[in-house]
Amino acid sequence: MGLALGALSFASACGSPPEPVAVDSQGADKAASRDLPAPSAPLEVEGNKLLARAEGTFSKIRIRQQGTRRTMVFVRERGGEFPQTVIDLRDPDRLHHPYAEAVAAAMLFRPDPARILIVGLGGGTLIRFFHRFLPASQVDTVEIDPEVVRLAARWFGVVERPGVHLITEDGVHFLAGEGERYDLIVLDAFLDPGRPGTDATGIPEELRGLGFLRRVKARLNPGGVAAFNIHFKSGFREHVDAIAEVFPQVQIAPVRNLGQRIIYASVDASPEITAEVLAGRAAELDAKAEWGLSFAEWAAVIQPWTRTTPGAGAPTPPPTPATPPTE
């Protein structure tokens, strides 16, 4: 299916070292310059330790660590903490949050994305995952808050590298302009829900509008897909209906034990992406590498979205499965 998995990436994922390869020092330097650095110490802590706190232009941010798990959290106006990123320092390129796995499952709709755009950086766990397992891909990320960019570099090792481009800009403005087209666009931008111009979950209202959604579609290549991280709260159905008004195929995956749904919006009407198609693609992806997640398990819980018909009541989203994918 065109997945470009390098030998080093595949062997590391499987837990066994690659065969030694003789390279000159210049080649070794080039390889090292491409790798994302390991997150900074400490590797492990006792209890739940606060490593850093900062106040950005748009969010109050804390970096916490428990054992080997490091988390970036946004602090809401009333003091509650909302996790944005979770990594395990023993293997920081793996996904350790079910929502991130569900976003990566967008590869069921575009298995070989050469160009990926992520709107909303957080701690950059998706960048690390795509950079490791799709080494031939270009991953661009747009983040509005410079403080988030700084903390992602300091505590999560997410910095500019060949194949990784970080853009400090408003995602709405970035997508409104002329520029590259992408095979996969991830919409994962959240602010404090108490801020003016955000919905009840913290998604900026501009990101819900038909005009913005049409711009997202316009920046996708043929066969491309957009993945939206949306919380199942007030306005959820209206938001997904708006996506379905713009994109010809829309499907949805529940995230276990969380009020989140990942929406997959395909830019093309055909071929029809059925459950059988998803199962076949999942089998091929799972045979490619040890990703740290099962594409087959995610394919099994994805369902098509049916738009609300005026006067007919709202559609019921798929329930969280009784036997969900394991972390």
Side-chain angles (χ1 to χ4, degrees):
M1 301 184 71
L3 283 178
L5 289 171
L8 177 59
S9 296
F10 184 81
S12 298
C14 292
S16 58
E19 291 296 320
V21 179
V23 296
D24 59 28
S25 59
Q26 184 178 3
D29 289 343
K30 286 181 179 178
S33 70
R34 187 192 180 281
D35 293 342
L36 287 170
S40 59
L43 176 61
E44 187 170 4
V45 301
E46 293 185 4
N48 190 327
K49 185 174 182 180
L50 177 65
L51 299 179
R53 68 176 74 202
E55 186 161 349
T57 308
F58 298 92
S59 303
K60 293 180 181 178
I61 310 155
R62 292 174 186 160
I63 309 298
R64 293 192 176 277
Q65 187 169 326
Q66 186 167 13
T68 59
R69 288 205 164 196
R70 184 170 296 171
T71 307
M72 175 185 284
V73 298
F74 285 2
V75 184
R76 292 178 169 170
E77 189 173 311
R78 296 183 179 180
E81 294 187 347
F82 185 76
Q84 294 293 312
T85 298
V86 180
I87 64 170
D88 192 317
L89 298 171
R90 292 168 296 187
D91 195 349
D93 297 338
R94 301 277 188 159
L95 300 177
H96 296 280
H97 197 292
Y99 111 84
E101 288 189 9
V103 172
M107 291 170 60
L108 291 165
F109 299 86
R110 183 63 187 255
D112 55 350
R115 292 193 65 88
I116 300 168
L117 174 66
I118 302 172
V119 180
L121 170 63
T125 182
L126 287 167
I127 296 174
R128 297 195 70 104
F129 175 83
F130 288 130
H131 190 62
R132 171 173 171 177
F133 289 104
L134 300 174
S137 295
Q138 172 68 36
V139 183
D140 296 343
T141 301
V142 180
E143 169 57 50
I144 194 171
D145 196 331
E147 195 65 12
V148 173
V149 177
R150 183 186 72 82
L151 292 169
R154 171 68 177 83
W155 294 105
F156 296 86
V158 177
V159 295
E160 289 267 352
R161 282 291 188 270
V164 174
H165 183 36
L166 304 177
I167 305 153
T168 306
E169 187 178 344
D170 185 330
V172 173
H173 296 161
F174 177 83
L175 283 165
E178 297 294 328
E180 296 284 349
R181 290 194 174 195
Y182 296 91
D183 303 306
L184 168 61
I185 297 178
V186 176
L187 284 303
D188 192 24
F190 288 86
L191 300 173
D192 190 323
R195 293 183 61 88
T198 66
D199 69 9
T201 68
I203 295 178
E205 291 285 359
E206 281 188 282
L207 273 62
R208 298 169 55 109
L210 291 175
F212 174 76
L213 296 173
R214 291 187 182 108
R215 290 194 292 272
V216 172
K217 183 181 178 184
R219 294 291 290 271
L220 283 165
N221 285 317
V225 62
F228 299 80
N229 179 21
I230 301 178
H231 286 263
F232 185 50
K233 290 188 176 181
S234 175
F236 170 82
R237 292 184 177 90
E238 293 81 358
H239 192 172
V240 184
D241 276 350
I243 295 170
E245 184 171 335
V246 173
F247 290 85
Q249 291 196 73
V250 174
Q251 307 209 36
I252 179 172
V255 181
R256 70 183 185 279
N257 301 326
L258 295 172
Q260 287 171 276
R261 305 289 188 270
I262 304 302
I263 312 301
Y264 311 102
S266 300
V267 74
D268 296 329
S270 61
E272 183 183 0
I273 304 172
T274 64
E276 291 73 22
V277 169
L278 291 175
R281 292 178 179 178
E284 292 187 39
L285 282 167
D286 285 338
K288 291 284 184 180
E290 294 290 338
W291 306 90
L293 69 140
S294 167
F295 283 98
E297 289 180 332
W298 283 107
V301 301
I302 293 172
Q303 296 185 18
W305 176 263
T306 303
R307 284 181 62 191
T308 304
T309 301
T316 301
T320 301
T323 308
T326 56
E327 191 172 333

